[in-house]
Amino acid sequence: PRVTQPGAGLYVALTGNRLNASDLVHLGLATHYVASARLEALENSLRKLNSPQGASDELRVRVELILSEHASEPDLATSSLRANASLLQACFAAPSDVAGIVRALQQSAAAGSDWAAAALGTLRQKSPTSLKLIHEAMVRGATMSFDDVLRMEFRLAMAVFKMQVKGPREGDVYEGTRVVLVDKKGAAQWRPASLEEVDDASVLTMFAPPQGGRRELELIC
């Protein structure tokens, strides 16, 4: 949620779409771009680097020089996020909930945006519960520390898998696994099947601290 392009974090989190090198550089998630043809040379240069003991700053400078020597500028024209910055703002950053994101994408798709239509199609394949859960996590995570985000994600993972044991393999995790990894075809039968049917209060309970003797995530630094 803290990337430089408004809406990009939510877009990636909700759709699960992969980013290319140009997207990563555009968002500031990558510091250098090295073409595939230069990777072997880069690896060889790094292997030859001697690490000066107790001089981390000096080592950092040396690594930076090597990276700069092999790096080049990516073609930002291939970044779909850069090309659709205004749609990211209107469809993902501006709406306050997942339903609003869907409506904004529908409007943009109706106006002729292929990018919005593709994003909308992707969201329609996802678990409605997961979409609301991820959206809430992204909103909260924007103002949380790194350690607190890890604790939150641990709670969510435990809560989601706890839901699966309430029925005979009827949860969305089992269903998603079946469609993607087992059958590898067909449409998932999510429960609930739509955003409107998802109980928002149930989603919020997944963020609550552990109960019943369950332990909180302990970070060892």
Side-chain angles (χ1 to χ4, degrees):
R2 305 180 194 182
V3 293
T4 55
Q5 175 67 61
L10 270 174
Y11 166 78
V12 174
L14 293 174
T15 64
N17 288 344
R18 297 179 180 178
L19 303 181
N20 63 24
S22 296
D23 289 325
L24 294 172
V25 172
H26 169 63
L27 295 178
L29 297 176
T31 58
H32 298 77
Y33 167 74
V34 179
S36 298
R38 297 284 297 171
L39 289 178
E40 184 176 355
L42 171 62
E43 182 180 350
N44 291 334
S45 296
L46 291 172
R47 286 180 180 274
K48 296 176 183 177
L49 183 63
N50 293 321
S51 176
Q53 294 184 354
S56 58
D57 289 341
E58 181 181 347
L59 177 60
R60 188 178 299 109
V61 171
R62 292 184 183 180
V63 171
E64 177 67 31
L65 289 174
I66 291 175
L67 289 173
S68 298
E69 177 185 347
H70 294 279
S72 58
E73 291 295 327
D75 182 7
L76 292 180
T78 63
S79 170
S80 65
L81 299 189
R82 182 172 182 264
N84 293 283
S86 60
L87 286 173
L88 279 170
Q89 170 66 41
C91 297
F92 285 89
S96 59
D97 56 20
V98 181
I101 290 174
V102 170
R103 287 193 297 270
L105 287 172
Q106 289 173 330
Q107 293 171 0
S108 296
S113 171
D114 293 337
W115 181 89
L120 180 61
T122 299
L123 292 188
R124 284 175 170 164
Q125 298 175 22
K126 307 298 184 183
S127 158
T129 300
S130 294
L131 289 177
K132 287 199 171 185
L133 189 67
I134 291 169
H135 186 276
E136 180 67 21
M138 291 291 286
V139 171
R140 295 188 181 210
T143 58
M144 296 171 67
S145 69
F146 180 74
D147 288 358
D148 285 340
V149 167
L150 291 180
R151 293 188 182 94
M152 175 182 70
E153 292 187 350
F154 178 77
R155 292 178 185 178
L156 296 179
M158 294 300 98
V160 167
F161 278 99
K162 181 181 177 182
M163 291 171 58
Q164 309 309 302
V165 301
K166 293 183 178 180
R169 298 182 179 271
E170 293 180 347
D172 282 359
V173 171
Y174 287 120
E175 179 64 6
T177 302
R178 178 190 68 78
V179 171
V180 176
L181 299 179
V182 181
D183 295 344
K184 299 182 179 180
K185 61 181 179 180
Q189 303 300 312
W190 305 121
R191 301 176 181 174
S194 68
L195 291 172
E196 293 75 19
E197 296 176 73
V198 177
D199 181 13
D200 291 340
S202 297
V203 171
L204 295 179
T205 60
M206 299 185 196
F207 292 85
Q211 303 293 328
R214 293 183 176 84
R215 299 177 62 183
E216 182 72 278
L217 177 67
E218 297 181 8
L219 299 175
I220 302 176
C221 301

